[in-house]
Amino acid sequence: MESHFSHWFSQENRLLQYLLKIEPQKVYAMPKMLSAMGTDDEFNTLSMLSDLSDRELVATIGWAKQVPGFTGLTLKDQMNLLQGSWLDILCFNVAFRSSPYKGVLVFADDFVMSDGDSSNLCIPLELNATLRKLARKISELALTKEEYVLMKVMVLLNPDLNAENPKSVHQLRDQMCDVMLDYERMRGAICHRRICNLLMVLPLITHCRLLARDYWNGVKQSNRIVLNKLLSEMIDCVMDSSL
């Protein structure tokens, strides 16, 4: 037992603590600034969501570059992994911020939406329902911050996203899986059962991404608001990858 904990604290725990340390800073919507402009609520919501998504996308790219081993991948693989997973990560972030789920989706600490708000502000019904389902699922699992950061890295390191060198991506992902296993053992959980339950969250994240992809593509095509260049380009990448 002593050797196990010594091994944990000397290796896996250091990696996990590093992942916790590189978590991006919070982003804020600052809704009062937009409300003061006197534009309609739907326009304000679209503007806030696009601005938040753009800033969180920038933060996600910066975060990914700090994930151990990520910048050691080929540049093409880094781009493919980010282009294929950024929207999954943003949806996962919203759901985790919204847990424990209390009837609101937390897009930022100063910007939350009740079910009624989402309907009034023309958020698609299925996207709204699926995000809330994901938030409830995370709440039921009582997902810890440690599990969240590890799952987020595993979502990023998806070797099926047209990886140029899938073996290297698999190796990084396997390393994170080992950290997750040791973390669950340290907690005293029945680790394989716990990890199976955590993996059941991934299809919901994928479903959210597909719905969010269609939503943002619709926003872009409508020309209701002007999207920032990076967000616009990444939406195009997500749409292209689905063809």
Side-chain angles (χ1 to χ4, degrees), residues 48-141:
M48 281 189 288
L49 284 175
S50 66
D51 181 62
L52 274 170
S53 297
D54 185 75
R55 286 187 285 133
E56 195 161 1
L57 171 56
V58 171
T60 298
I61 293 171
W63 161 81
K65 290 179 178 179
Q66 297 180 78
V67 170
F70 186 78
T71 55
L73 301 172
T74 66
L75 186 58
K76 183 178 179 181
D77 277 350
Q78 292 177 50
M79 291 175 60
N80 285 341
L81 292 174
L82 277 166
Q83 289 170 353
S85 66
W86 71 272
L87 197 47
D88 303 69
I89 291 170
L90 264 60
C91 291
F92 190 29
N93 290 347
V94 171
F96 185 71
R97 282 195 296 264
S98 305
S99 62
Y101 182 68
K102 298 178 180 178
V104 295
L105 290 175
V106 181
F107 292 93
D109 284 359
D110 59 349
F111 182 40
V112 303
M113 276 194 204
S114 67
D115 204 11
D117 292 333
S118 299
S119 177
N120 293 336
L121 296 169
C122 300
I123 304 298
L125 290 175
E126 191 176 2
L127 174 57
N128 176 53
T130 307
L131 272 173
R132 293 177 191 279
K133 184 176 180 180
L134 178 57
R136 283 193 293 270
K137 182 66 176 177
I138 288 172
S139 300
E140 290 167 5
L141 288 170

Side-chain angles (χ1 to χ4, degrees), residues 15 72 109 119 122 124 130 138 143 157 175-176 187-188 213:
L15 178 53
D109 284 359
S119 177
C122 300
T130 307
I138 288 172
L143 193 73
L157 299 174
Q175 183 181 18
M176 297 303 162
R187 294 179 68 210
R213 175 201 67 187

